[in-house]
Structure formats: C-alpha cells, structure tokens
Amino acid sequence: MKSSTLGFFKPLSVLAISIALAACGGDGDYKYNYSSDYQPETPPDIETPMPTEVVPAFDTDGELTANIRWTDYGVPHVTGDNLQSLAFGVGYAFAKDNICILADQILKYNSERSKYFGPDMVLGSGDSENLINDFGFLALDIRKIAEANIRGMSVNSQALMAGYAEGYNKYLADTGVDNINPSCAGQAWVKPITDIDILTYSLGVAHLPGAANFLGAMFVAAPQGESFLPYVKGNAGKTSFKIAPKVTLPEKNPDDMGSNGWALGKDKTANGKGMVLANPHFPHTGNLRFWQFHSIIPGHMNVMGGSLMGMPGIVNIGFNENVAWTHTFSTAEHFVLYQLTLNQNDPTMMSQMIDGVSRPINGRELVIDVNVGGGQTIQMGKMSYSTHHGPMAVVPDAFEWGNGSAYAIKDANTANLDIVDHWLAMNLSTNMDEFKQAFKDHDGVIFNNTMSADKDGNVFYIDDSTVPYLTDTAINEMTTNPLLVGAKQAAGFTVLPAFLSAFDYERPVPYEEAPKYSGTDYVQNSNDSFWLTNAESPITGVSPLYGQVDNQQTLRSRLAHKLLADAAGSDGLFTIAEVENALVGNRNYLGEAVLTDLLSACQSQGNTPVMLGDTSVDISAGCAALALWDGLMNTGSSAAHLFREFAFQFNNAPQWQNSFDVTDPINTPNTLVVNDTVMTQFAQAIVNVETAGIALDETLGNVQFIERSLPNGVATGVKIPWGGAHNIEGGFNVFNIRTGNDGTMLPRHTYDTLDGTILSAEGKGYHINYGSSLMTVVNFTEQGPVARGLLSYSQSNTYGSEHNGDQTQLYSSQPQLRPMRFTEADIEANKIAEMTISSSQ
C-alpha cells in the first residue's frame, strides 16, 4: 500500500474553507461559481423490462432434490427443477471442494474473526487486523442490511441463497466437520449457514473495491483528542494485549486484480458467429478463487462457466446456448471520500455544515467477542462514527479529524441487492437484447467491465460497474478545481467537499450514461479504461469516475491490440484454436519491442564493465545467455527470467526514443534508447539473478513454479514448472506473486522476494500464486457453443484431493485448455461420478 508522509495533504486541510471563501467572493485565486438555484438532475425514465418466461424459483413439494454429475477434472453439472433445488446442488458440490474458504469468509463478514482467532492476524503482534475486520464490517452494517432486506428481495434471489445455504449445510452434515478438508476440520467456526449469511457475504464482497479498503482508517477514526481504542466491556481497565494498528493510505485496487477479455463478432471470426475469450487474473489461493460448474433447469436454464465462491448457483463468467460473456476489473471508482466542514460552533467536532445547515456526526457503540486465549473470550466495545455519507475515516498525516475538517467514505455498493438478480438475468438471456436488458434492469456487477458475444455474431461492451452518479456541478469541479484535481492525484481516488449537497450523490450512474459499445467486430479490455475498448471507435464523453481517456496504455493492453491484429493468421479471422493460442502462447510486448536492440547494445559493450554504484559488473555472460532466449515465456525458454529482471528495472525508468502520442496510442511509446541507463538496468538484472543463485541461462520451467502448501501452511516441497508471462514485460497470459494475506485465515507459505522484483532467493525463483485462473474460449457454431477452458489451480482447495492439482498438471505439461462438456452426450461420455441429493435424506 502507499505510505503517507507528514504534511502530504496539508492543502486539503483547508480545502472546504478555501472553496467556501471563493464562493463568497473571497480573495482566493480560484473562483467557485455556485448557483443558489441548483436543482439535481432529473433521473431518466425507467424502461419497462422485456417480458421473459418465468423460471421456477422455490421448490413446491417440500423436498429439495438435485442431480450432480461430475465429468473429467471434477467439474459438476448440476440439475434441479427450480432455482432453489439447483442452488442446493451447487452449494453441496462447492462445499465438497472449497468448504474451508467459504466458512472462513462467513466468519469474516459476520465480524467473528476475533471471536475465534483473537485480535491479531499475526498472533501477539498487535497488528489488530481481526479487530479492524470485525469492527469495520459492523460499522458498514452489512449483516444488518442483509437481515433487514432479504425478505423483500426478488423470489429468485431468495430461492438461490436459501438453496445454496441448504446444500452447503447438507455437505457439512453428511461429511461431518471432523472429516472435511484438513485445513479446517474439527474447527468450531465451521458451522451451518443461512441465506442471511450468504447475502451478508455478498454485500461484503461488493465493498472490495471501496470501503473494505478503508477498514483500518475507519478503526482509528475519532474526533481529535478522543481515543479510537476499543475497550473491555464492564471493565475500565486496559486490555491485556497490544493494539497497535498500522494505518496507511488506502488504494482502490490493493490486490491489483486484473483480467483480459475479448468478444469477437461475425466480422472477426472464421465462422461468422460470436466468440468470447475469458481470462481473469485473480489469486490462486484465498477468498477470490474461481470454481467451475454447469447449472441446468430443464426448459429454463443451461449455463456453464465459473464463479467466485459463494455465488449461489449462477455463473459469473460463462455461456449458454445463445450468449457468452466475460468480465475484467474496471478502472472506475466506486466510492467518494468526502471532506466534511466541521461546525465551528461545536467544540465536540460532532457536527458538520451542509448548505449552511448543521448536520450531526453520529456515534454509536459496537460490540464484538474477542478470544484472549485459554478458552476465554471477552466482549469489547468501540465507538464508531458516521454521517449520512457513511463511516468516518482517518489516515494519520493525511486525512485527519480536526482543525475544521474530517472525512467520511460513501460507497456506491453499500446495500447493493442487485448482484444475484443481475447475474441471473445474464445467465437466462436468450439473445443480445435480453443480455443488455439485464444491465438496464439491475446494477449488480459491482466492479466489472463486461464483454459479450452472441450466436449471431453481435458484440457488446459496457462498464456498468457501480459508479457514483455525480451531478454536473461535482464533475465540473472535480475536473477543473486545482485543489480537487490535486487531491485526487495525491490520494489516488476522488476527494470531494461535503459542505454543499451539490457534491453528493444518491445512486449509481444509469445504464444510459455508462460507457458502452455495440457492433459486429470486436470489444476488448485488459484493465485499461473503456477508452480503447474498440480502437477504431474510441469511447469518450462519460463520467471521469470511469477512468482516463487519451492516456498511455499498459504493455499488456498494447499486446492485446497486437494479438487482435496479428494472431488470426493471414485471413484476419479468428478460429477457436487461434484465440486459444493467442491466450496461452506466452508472448510479451516488451520483448518483441526491445530484444533486438538490447542484444545489439550489450554485445557492443563486450567485456567492458558496467558500474552499479561502486560495483563493476561484467555483463558479457548475461548477454550470451539472453541471446539464447526465444522471446517467449514458456517453460523451455532459456534466460526468460533474465529478461524479466531487466523489465523490472526498465519499468522504473523507461528508455524510449519515441514518447507517447495520443494519436497513436497502440504503438507508442516505442524504440529502445541505447544508453548507459539501459546497460545499468541490464547489469542490475544480472545481479538479481545471480543473487538468487540461479543460472543466467536457466530455463523458465526451472525458475517459475507452483508450490502448494500442506494443510498446516508448510511448503510441500513439490515445485511444478510453470509457463507464463508477467505484466512487467507486457505479457497477456500473466502470473504473479502475492506474499501478503490472501483474504483468509487459512495458513499458507510464501517466500520473501528481492527488492524491486518478484524473484526470491529463498525460493530460488518465482513462486506463482496469482494470475490467469479461469481461462475460457467459447465459439458459437451451427451445432451450438463449443468451449475450451481451464482452471489453472484446479477445482478443489483440499490438499490431496483428486482434483486439487489435475488441471494444474495439465497446464504445466504444456500451456493449453481442455474441452468443456456442455452437451448431454458429452457429459455422459465423460462422466466420472454421479449422485442425487435430497433435503429429506
């Protein structure tokens, strides 16, 4: 996370006052033009939903029944007569593979981590991470919102969540807590769940790109002079453990979640029908794992793909007989941090001024259970503060509560009850018009871009992630007011003043104003903004909260455009095999752009040493090794790791002859500058590799690896060779390393890395645990959809399970996808197990 420095936000401490003075005709250089007759924009009329055949929701005979057939690689195909029964089967099959992860997440979002694990993530460290989690999600009221709203939700959502919880519970009851995944077997925190738990979990996940990153800032929020510390209920004395949280400036996307997605229309495919490439880059362990499955309600629903855990019976990324779709992580902002103007007549600093009227800052006591060891728990209380915007937040030396101002976060995904209904509508779509209607009717895609194609060869892109619908006044000020522009540049997210209601928002941006594109050619996204979704038809004119336009693209985005241009062969029309090869071919943009010039430069350097500070480095051996590299990131590629280490150095100070040109954003900047800086960067790459104890000409398969953890978190010692690129060299099929917490309390091992790189001397290479996860290519044909896919880390999280590593080994042997069994004949021909479950048994 970013670290803040003393005085970093000094200009912000007077932001609201400065604008207020300008509005009143003060002497400031900047004049804020505020109209007293301001009226909020009139929301657009809501369109009448298109009629669709009603899918059966709840079971009607009092007995839930689901049939589960598993095909090769442990993929379940679940059939039920209604949504509740379908979700019953999906919940059972999911728990069989991943019960420990979901049990952990239910604990997390119900604010019960401290109850079972004590106050700290690292026992006795004083990091207070479990306290921060528990008080934070209580402050966000996600459990309370779930309890208050679940019975008013659609019958479809209620049926799916109820059935999923019942299926999970049946697996737990049938198997017994002592016999489940050893990572959580016998643990008191693994217990039956309810539909309210599933909704609470869903609401928690919705906050991931927003308020969930401010839990630490919410924990330390208190008026200047007041203590933020929690206290033991019924005891005025101090706690017996250290509470020393480290709170730094939050980030919008701290996990660097990313993806690639393509939707190709009839103008870009060999058979003139739609095709979709799905390639989310998500963690391989922890709470953001995907899971593959197939959901069937005869006559109503037939959808296959993958979902993040806890999605009750419906598919996040996948396809049916008519439409296929995928998602990528959006650059959009999903929250606003508001700077409050405190009421100068209130010495308690518990009120703010809005439109000249004093409004209260509310305080309330939150209470949690905390395990203090020895089988004992205590109750701890803490004061939590909020306004109508949302919870108060404090970041020391950046966003403080005092000296006339304070801060509160307003998250557009708070109380987002559309998530299940939105994805269900996508799952049930029979054509592109119905698919689009899902986005007109719902706002549940939380943080994603969406790319889709149908069997007729139409494509559609939309960033309908949940984005604050700011007024024109707010947008004008945030893009022109130097203080607000500077605040966003410094913080990395939007900070707006709260002293005028014109800066507030009440709902997400509507469908009509979201960035989107329809056509028959293509749409793509590799985590740059919506701007170049289709390079021939740039998207502009939308809220700046969605992201940038006219900006330099990442190397991965540039490779995506390059692949779209050259990976289809001479006819320029893609087959499913060509799209698969584009995905797993392991090309990288930087290598293709600079390798020839880099080799020429280092060969010219010869044995003449390159100085790294006071150290001289002979780069000739590294140059000879690099000459062996085939330019790809496959397991057999010699010296690929050496080039990657160069890429890490190059990224710190790119040396391009031709700078970025907004009129040629796909091809600029370009051409390596051959200079002393580049030679120094290459010398440092050599030093890194040698420091890690790795040969300069080693093959990537002996450097980059998957290594699983035993249930107790200890390394297995089995290193599985792994092909694939990294963002740093501009790969498309990218992998990475995350050494921090993976969002769960489940133990795992990681290796320390060298400064400025992901290379580990301790691990002797790159220990991959993040990146390409659910990989899928779907092409519609006259006979229906044909799909190939892979879940890189395999279906099951249970160590030793048959399906804990089978897809992993398949990819390791050769980067490839496998057939996805969608037709009845294919399912039966490849069935490896079958069972029918019932709620009465």
Side-chain angles (χ1 to χ4, degrees):
M1 299 180 73
K2 301 175 184 175
S3 61
S4 59
T5 56
L6 188 64
F8 190 63
F9 281 89
K10 284 288 185 181
L12 282 179
S13 64
V14 294
L15 173 59
I17 297 173
S18 298
I19 299 177
L21 289 173
C24 296
D27 294 330
D29 292 335
Y30 178 75
K31 301 297 182 182
Y32 171 63
N33 297 314
Y34 170 65
S35 171
S36 61
D37 60 357
Y38 160 77
Q39 295 292 330
E41 285 88 355
T42 302
D45 293 335
I46 297 175
E47 297 186 26
T48 302
M50 295 171 59
T52 57
E53 185 178 2
V54 177
V55 60
F58 282 100
D59 172 75
T60 58
D61 63 7
E63 179 182 0
L64 299 179
T65 303
N67 176 263
I68 310 172
R69 293 173 290 175
W70 284 270
T71 53
D72 46 347
Y73 299 99
V75 177
H77 306 257
V78 183
T79 303
D81 291 335
N82 51 75
L83 292 173
Q84 186 183 15
S85 294
L86 171 69
F88 176 63
V90 173
Y92 185 99
F94 174 84
K96 183 175 183 291
D97 285 334
N98 295 292
I99 189 170
C100 291
I101 303 177
L102 186 54
D104 170 272
Q105 294 300 286
I106 297 299
L107 204 69
K108 173 180 179 177
Y109 291 117
N110 277 329
S111 296
E112 292 186 323
R113 278 196 167 168
S114 300
K115 178 179 179 180
Y116 293 95
F117 294 103
D120 300 327
M121 181 73 70
V122 178
L123 187 64
S125 67
D127 62 31
S128 306
E129 286 297 326
N130 293 340
L131 295 178
I132 289 171
N133 176 90
D134 294 349
F135 281 118
F137 285 113
L138 273 184
L140 289 171
D141 285 324
I142 57 174
R143 177 77 187 191
K144 184 181 293 186
I145 291 168
E147 292 171 343
N149 289 279
I150 190 165
R151 302 305 166 222
M153 296 177 70
S154 73
V155 292
N156 289 342
S157 284
Q158 291 188 60
L160 286 163
M161 289 185 286
Y164 191 86
E166 290 171 280
Y168 174 103
N169 293 341
K170 179 170 177 59
Y171 172 78
L172 181 59
D174 288 355
T175 308
V177 69
D178 293 331
N179 303 311
I180 60 174
N181 183 337
S183 294
C184 65
Q187 296 298 311
W189 49 270
V190 182
K191 49 194 176 183
I193 63 175
T194 68
D195 53 355
I196 295 175
D197 290 319
I198 294 297
L199 180 54
T200 301
Y201 165 77
S202 175
L203 293 171
V205 170
H207 284 90
L208 283 177
N213 299 316
F214 283 76
L215 298 186
M218 290 157 53
F219 184 76
V220 300
Q224 193 174 69
E226 298 289 333
S227 174
F228 69 83
L229 291 172
Y231 43 83
V232 179
K233 290 287 290 178
N235 183 351
K238 294 183 177 180
T239 61
S240 59
F241 49 84
K242 179 171 65 173
I243 301 177
K246 182 181 179 182
V247 177
T248 54
L249 190 65
E251 297 181 62
K252 291 191 302 181
N253 184 15
D255 292 323
D256 195 26
M257 290 187 288
S259 304
N260 301 311
W262 292 359
L264 306 178
K266 59 187 177 183
D267 299 341
K268 292 286 287 184
T269 61
N271 72 350
K273 294 186 177 295
M275 192 184 310
V276 166
L277 177 154
N279 179 216
H281 304 155
F282 269 50
H284 291 194
T285 67
N287 63 322
L288 292 174
R289 280 172 59 103
F290 279 92
W291 182 70
Q292 298 170 305
F293 63 103
H294 186 179
S295 289
I296 305 166
I297 300 177
H300 297 278
M301 183 175 181
N302 186 14
V303 60
M304 188 175 190
S307 291
L308 294 177
M309 48 170 282
M311 183 58 72
I314 47 179
V315 169
N316 286 145
I317 292 175
F319 63 96
N320 59 32
E321 298 100 325
N322 307 291
V323 184
W325 66 94
T326 189
H327 303 291
T328 60
F329 197 84
S330 169
T331 59
E333 296 179 68
H334 310 290
F335 66 91
V336 172
L337 186 68
Y338 281 98
Q339 184 186 36
L340 317 182
T341 298
L342 297 178
N343 183 350
Q344 296 182 0
N345 297 319
D346 181 357
T348 67
M349 292 182 283
M350 288 293 292
S351 58
Q352 63 166 320
M353 302 301 294
I354 301 177
D355 296 334
V357 177
S358 181
R359 297 278 297 271
I361 298 172
N362 301 306
R364 56 174 171 154
E365 183 185 54
L366 304 177
V367 179
I368 63 171
D369 293 327
V370 181
N371 188 328
V372 292
Q376 300 296 312
T377 61
I378 60 173
Q379 280 200 324
M380 294 195 72
K382 186 186 185 309
M383 289 302 296
S384 175
Y385 303 94
S386 63
T387 72
H388 73 285
H389 296 101
M392 300 292 290
V394 166
V395 177
D397 302 321
F399 302 114
E400 302 275 12
W401 189 341
N403 299 319
S405 66
Y407 297 85
I409 181 172
K410 184 169 184 176
D411 193 318
N413 276 308
T414 296
N416 191 333
L417 303 174
D418 272 3
I419 297 171
V420 173
D421 280 334
H422 196 151
W423 261 289
L424 177 61
M426 286 188 267
N427 283 207
L428 295 173
S429 299
T430 64
N431 55 54
M432 189 60 78
D433 286 340
E434 287 187 8
F435 189 83
K436 292 177 181 179
Q437 191 67 41
F439 293 83
K440 297 176 183 179
D441 295 343
H442 306 289
D443 264 309
V445 184
I446 54 180
F447 50 68
N448 296 304
N449 298 292
T450 302
M451 287 132 284
S452 60
D454 68 6
K455 63 183 180 182
D456 296 322
N458 302 299
V459 298
F460 175 61
Y461 162 87
I462 187 170
D463 182 345
D464 194 41
S465 59
T466 316
V467 173
Y469 190 26
L470 297 177
T471 65
D472 290 342
T473 299
I475 289 174
N476 179 64
E477 292 302 314
M478 68 174 284
T479 55
T480 61
N481 183 327
L483 289 171
L484 297 182
V485 172
K488 181 170 183 176
Q489 290 174 343
F493 47 78
T494 296
V495 183
L496 292 178
F499 78 105
L500 293 175
S501 58
F503 287 95
D504 203 354
Y505 71 92
E506 298 300 328
R507 62 190 183 100
V509 175
Y511 172 88
E512 292 76 13
E513 297 183 35
K516 49 190 174 293
Y517 176 87
S518 296
T520 55
D521 46 2
Y522 75 93
V523 292
Q524 68 78 41
N525 184 267
S526 288
N527 303 120
D528 270 303
S529 77
F530 56 87
W531 176 42
L532 297 178
T533 292
N534 184 299
E536 289 72 40
S537 301
I539 301 171
T540 59
V542 299
S543 168
L545 290 183
Y546 280 103
Q548 294 180 291
V549 298
D550 297 338
N551 61 308
Q552 183 172 320
Q553 302 294 285
T554 65
L555 296 180
R556 178 157 57 88
S557 288
R558 292 172 67 183
L559 181 59
H561 287 286
K562 191 173 184 180
L563 290 168
L564 282 163
D566 69 17
S570 59
D571 63 359
L573 301 175
F574 281 97
T575 65
I576 192 170
E578 288 168 337
V579 173
E580 179 176 342
N581 187 61
L583 171 58
V584 299
N586 291 331
R587 291 169 59 179
N588 66 98
Y589 192 94
L590 188 63
E592 294 179 12
V594 308
L595 179 60
T596 299
D597 292 335
L598 178 60
L599 279 172
S600 177
C602 74
Q603 288 165 353
S604 296
Q605 184 76 18
N607 295 320
T608 304
V610 173
M611 298 305 296
L612 281 179
D614 296 331
T615 303
S616 64
V617 179
D618 183 348
I619 67 170
S620 58
C623 193
L626 189 63
L628 301 175
W629 184 40
D630 61 6
L632 302 175
M633 291 291 175
N634 288 323
T635 54
S637 299
S638 296
H641 61 301
L642 178 59
F643 183 79
R644 176 174 296 165
E645 291 307 305
F646 167 75
F648 271 104
Q649 301 304 313
F650 185 84
N651 183 65
N652 293 331
Q655 301 295 300
W656 297 113
Q657 287 188 30
N658 303 309
S659 59
F660 173 68
D661 181 351
V662 71
T663 66
D664 189 15
I666 305 303
N667 300 305
T668 58
N670 61 42
T671 311
L672 182 70
V673 175
V674 177
N675 58 18
D676 290 344
T677 299
V678 169
M679 290 298 94
T680 300
Q681 292 168 340
F682 187 57
Q684 184 63 60
I686 293 171
V687 170
N688 285 356
V689 172
E690 291 178 337
T691 299
I694 301 169
L696 296 172
D697 62 353
E698 187 59 87
T699 57
L700 187 61
N702 289 325
V703 179
Q704 183 165 272
F705 59 90
I706 298 287
E707 184 182 36
R708 298 290 171 77
S709 301
L710 294 170
N712 63 1
V714 174
T716 62
V718 178
K719 294 183 176 180
I720 302 170
W722 205 251
H726 187 277
N727 280 325
I728 205 72
E729 67 258 15
F732 190 70
N733 178 34
V734 298
F735 298 91
N736 206 344
I737 294 167
R738 292 290 181 271
T739 57
N741 179 259
D742 66 0
T744 74
M745 298 297 292
L746 302 177
R748 66 167 186 154
H749 79 286
T750 60
Y751 296 111
D752 291 336
T753 58
L754 301 177
D755 290 341
T757 175
I758 62 169
L759 186 64
S760 172
E762 179 187 11
K764 295 286 191 254
Y766 305 117
H767 177 208
I768 297 303
N769 56 25
Y770 182 98
S772 288
S773 48
L774 179 70
M775 296 182 267
T776 308
V777 180
V778 184
N779 189 195
F780 290 99
T781 73
E782 292 294 341
Q783 292 73 42
V786 173
R788 290 176 59 80
L790 188 89
L791 190 59
S792 62
Y793 39 75
S794 305
Q795 281 283 85
S796 174
N797 186 52
T798 303
Y799 180 76
S801 162
E802 177 185 1
H803 303 299
N804 177 247
D806 48 358
Q807 295 186 69
T808 308
Q809 293 288 354
L810 177 67
Y811 178 92
S812 175
S813 67
Q814 171 66 43
Q816 61 185 295
L817 308 184
R818 55 166 185 78
M820 297 178 70
R821 315 299 183 182
F822 185 69
T823 67
E824 188 64 24
D826 208 9
I827 294 169
E828 286 297 316
N830 293 278
K831 184 171 63 177
I832 60 174
E834 181 173 7
M835 69 184 301
T836 298
I837 60 172
S838 169
S839 59
S840 65
Q841 297 175 355

